[in-house]
């Protein structure tokens, strides 16, 4: 579906760019885009112009972030591959809470909740959940104090079918590094020094 | 009630210097960034010295030598932030990071008359003169894509918010894309950069929805 408007040709900057890396991408996309890539070799990437890619991928390419055209080309091809993966369900939140686990017993866990949708920043609600509601991977993360998000929303399948869902997902917050702890300690000491006691 | 998108994606893009080959499902699982069950659900598309790309249960990761990209279509979107926080705030803490973006792609279902109303409001045909009159003659003509940019922002030294509106290719309606872009100019350490991203993430999500509300308010 070529367009008649002026478009930017993707070009490689150096001979080194035309190396194994591109070949690897080609081998991946070869059978998916045989029209353009079948037996085409490296230069076939040049055959794609930006408008064509926009048409094929149905998303605007975010090209300004890439300092050279080789990366631009790579990303364009990767966007191309994205066509298939976009055929996955989308989960749209209607209501979202952040919570933490306050107690666990047999088959349930108790929680305190902060209403994110209402832009609250303190816990104002409590709720009890069945452990069975958790996915297998999230069950391993269940412990007192664990932070999670609770979403009520709807899931839309690629074919457009919608269903209401409630989902609890535990957060995997990064651990504090030793250097972060040292920095926080140093900053707190600096703040304490600036306090003038009267 | 505010209109909800039919399809909603959230992504984080980081521009810096990366070693794509590191980024594999096994590495993420070995560092406990993802669980063993999630690792089992990953589908590798490509792992190579120049590019790594794989899909897990709820996210897609794509890394080239100067670009890290993670996207999810499933709320809660904060999960991709946690994943980025663990990778660069906890493990790859010496990775040079120059800029990052918090991006949303939202597809809204609407009828043709609403789409035309939005198109005409965002890109009136009158300034196009006589050609504009020709365009007005048939409703199949009209705005194809428009981008608005704000680059003076209180919350960053350098960066911008770009919003693009265009017809959706996924459904009868429009696609609104918001690119919230931050450039790091103070030579922050990697954990500081990630903290900066973390501090801005929820606000960025809210702002993208607020911008979207303005556009949808036209219809």
């Amino acid at each position: 579906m070529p367009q008649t408007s002026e478009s930017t040709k993707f070009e490689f900057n150096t001979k080194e760019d035309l190396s194994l890396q591109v070949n690897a991408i080609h081998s991946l996309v070869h059978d998916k885009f045989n029209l353009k890539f079948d037996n085409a070799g490296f230069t076939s990437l040049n055959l794609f112009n930006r408008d064509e890619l926009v048409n094929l991928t149905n998303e605007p390419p975010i090209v300004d972030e890439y300092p050279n055209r080789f990366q631009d080309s790579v990303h364009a091809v990767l966007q191309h591959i994205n066509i298939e993966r976009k055929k996955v369900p989308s989960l749209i939140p209607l209501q979202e809470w952040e919570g933490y686990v306050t107690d666990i017993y047999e088959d349930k866990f108790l929680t305190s909740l902060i209403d994110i949708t209402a832009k609250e920043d303190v816990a104002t609600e409590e709720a009890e959940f069945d452990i069975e509601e958790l996915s297998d991977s999230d069950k391993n993360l269940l412990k007192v104090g664990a932070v999670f998000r609770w979403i009520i929303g709807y899931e839309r399948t690629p074919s457009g079918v919608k269903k209401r869902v409630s989902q609890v997902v535990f957060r995997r917050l990064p651990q504090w590094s030793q250097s972060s702890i040292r920095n926080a300690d140093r900053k707190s000491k600096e703040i304490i020094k600036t306090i003038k006691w009267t | 009630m505010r209109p909800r998108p039919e399809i909603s994606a959230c992504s984080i893009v980081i521009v810096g210097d990366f070693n794509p080959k590191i980024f594999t499902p096994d590495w993420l699982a070995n560092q406990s960034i993802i669980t063993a069950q999630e690792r089992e659900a990953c589908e590798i598309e490509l792992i190579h010295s120049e590019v790594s790309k794989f899909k897990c249960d709820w996210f897609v990761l794509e890394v080239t030598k100067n670009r890290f990209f993670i996207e999810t279509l499933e709320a809660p979107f904060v999960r991709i932030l946690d994943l980025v926080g663990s990778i660069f705030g906890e493990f790859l803490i010496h990775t040079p990071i120059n800029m990052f973006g918090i991006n949303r792609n939202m597809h809204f279902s609407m009828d043709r008359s609403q789409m035309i109303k939005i198109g005409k409001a965002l890109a009136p045909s009158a300034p196009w003169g006589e050609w504009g009159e020709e365009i007005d003659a048939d409703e199949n003509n009209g705005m194809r894509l428009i981008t608005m940019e704000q680059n003076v922002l209180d919350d960053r030294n350098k960066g911008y918010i770009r919003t693009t509106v265009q017809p959706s290719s996924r459904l009868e309606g429009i696609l609104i894309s918001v690119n919230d872009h931050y450039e790091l100019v103070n030579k922050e350490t990697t954990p500081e950069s990630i903290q900066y991203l973390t501090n801005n993430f929820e606000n960025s999500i809210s702002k993208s929805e607020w911008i979207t509300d303005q556009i949808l308010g036209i219809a």
Side-chain angles (χ1 to χ4, degrees), chain A residues 48-98:
Chain A
F48 272 107
N49 65 46
R50 191 161 302 181
D51 282 355
E52 276 184 278
L53 286 161
V54 171
N55 270 338
L56 287 164
T57 60
N58 298 315
E59 299 287 351
I62 309 166
V63 293
D64 294 345
E65 296 165 9
Y66 315 116
N68 68 57
R69 287 184 170 201
F70 169 67
Q71 288 292 339
D72 204 14
S73 303
V74 170
H75 179 63
V77 173
L78 289 169
Q79 275 198 318
H80 215 94
I81 299 167
N82 287 350
I83 298 168
E84 290 205 351
R85 78 151 161 83
K86 284 186 174 167
K87 292 175 185 169
V88 298
S90 186
L91 177 55
I92 314 294
L94 297 171
Q95 186 82 25
E96 184 168 348
W97 292 265
E98 180 147 294

Side-chain angles (χ1 to χ4, degrees), chain A residues 27-28 38 90 103 106-107 127 135 167 180 187 192:
Chain A
S27 64
L28 184 74
D38 196 14
S90 186
D103 201 4
E106 279 191 18
D107 54 352
S135 68
Q167 189 170 332
S180 299
K187 280 181 184 169
I192 288 169

Side-chain angles (χ1 to χ4, degrees), chain B residues 156-170:
Chain B
R156 69 202 79 178
N157 289 324
K158 200 173 174 192
Y160 52 77
I161 297 175
R162 274 187 201 153
T163 300
T164 299
V165 183
Q166 62 185 306
S168 169
S169 57
R170 307 281 303 278

Side-chain angles (χ1 to χ4, degrees), chain A residues 10-26:
Chain A
F10 289 108
E11 295 170 357
F12 296 113
N13 289 335
T14 65
K15 199 172 179 181
E16 286 72 39
D17 288 335
L18 303 173
S19 62
L20 189 63
Q21 306 90 335
V22 184
N23 206 6
I25 295 166
H26 266 232

Side-chain angles (χ1 to χ4, degrees), chain B residues 150-158 182 196 200 207:
Chain B
Q150 178 183 15
N151 52 33
V152 179
L153 290 148
D154 292 337
D155 62 352
R156 69 202 79 178
N157 289 324
K158 200 173 174 192
Y182 301 76
Y196 185 39
N200 284 288
K207 183 141 193 183

Side-chain angles (χ1 to χ4, degrees), chain B residues 116-134:
Chain B
I116 291 169
K117 198 171 173 186
I118 288 176
K120 283 185 181 298
L122 295 179
S125 49
W128 297 89
E130 291 179 7
W131 188 50
E133 289 171 19
E134 285 182 25

Side-chain angles (χ1 to χ4, degrees), chain B residues 2-211:
Chain B
R2 57 191 298 267
R4 303 285 176 179
E6 296 290 309
I7 303 164
S8 180
C10 179
S11 63
I12 294 173
V13 174
I14 301 175
V15 176
D17 293 316
F18 308 104
N19 179 2
K21 221 172 175 176
I22 287 178
F23 296 91
T24 65
D26 283 339
W27 183 79
L28 294 177
N30 289 341
Q31 310 305 327
S32 300
I33 296 171
I34 62 173
T35 63
Q37 290 95 333
E38 286 172 324
R39 191 269 164 265
E40 287 305 307
C42 288
E43 291 174 30
I44 295 173
E45 293 187 5
L46 183 66
I47 304 286
H48 189 268
S49 59
E50 282 291 330
V51 57
S52 174
K53 182 170 167 63
F54 55 90
K55 176 172 72 176
C56 284
D57 183 29
W58 54 272
F59 69 91
V60 168
L61 187 69
E62 174 192 310
V63 186
T64 57
K65 285 203 160 180
N66 61 9
R67 181 176 179 275
F68 172 97
F69 169 86
I70 183 166
E71 184 185 58
T72 184
L73 273 71
E74 283 186 35
F77 300 131
V78 74
R79 283 195 288 178
I80 57 172
L81 175 69
D82 291 345
L83 210 142
V84 167
S86 294
I87 292 173
F88 297 109
E90 196 177 341
F91 295 102
L92 305 178
I93 58 171
H94 299 297
T95 305
I97 292 177
N98 308 319
M99 51 186 90
F100 61 82
I102 303 162
N103 305 319
R104 299 293 306 279
N105 276 337
M106 292 165 279
H107 297 258
F108 292 90
S109 179
M110 60 180 65
D111 61 37
R112 183 94 189 138
S113 65
Q114 290 174 302
M115 290 173 66
I116 291 169
K117 198 171 173 186
I118 288 176
K120 283 185 181 298
L122 295 179
S125 49
W128 297 89
E130 291 179 7
W131 188 50
E133 289 171 19
E134 285 182 25
I135 284 177
D136 273 344
D138 191 309
E139 68 170 28
N140 288 313
N141 304 325
M143 189 198 89
R144 180 68 185 86
L145 183 146
I146 190 165
T147 300
M148 187 68 89
E149 177 177 298
Q150 178 183 15
N151 52 33
V152 179
L153 290 148
D154 292 337
D155 62 352
R156 69 202 79 178
N157 289 324
K158 200 173 174 192
Y160 52 77
I161 297 175
R162 274 187 201 153
T163 300
T164 299
V165 183
Q166 62 185 306
S168 169
S169 57
R170 307 281 303 278
L171 43 79
E172 173 82 2
I174 60 169
L175 164 63
I176 300 178
S177 307
V178 181
N179 173 210
D180 189 8
H181 178 86
Y182 301 76
E183 293 189 26
L184 302 168
V185 293
N186 294 327
K187 296 191 172 157
E188 291 89 347
T189 64
T190 306
E192 284 170 346
S193 302
I194 295 303
Q195 190 58 51
Y196 185 39
L197 166 63
T198 302
N199 293 345
N200 284 288
F201 186 81
E202 298 275 13
N203 283 343
S204 177
I205 298 294
S206 297
K207 183 141 193 183
S208 65
E209 288 170 358
W210 175 76
I211 292 169

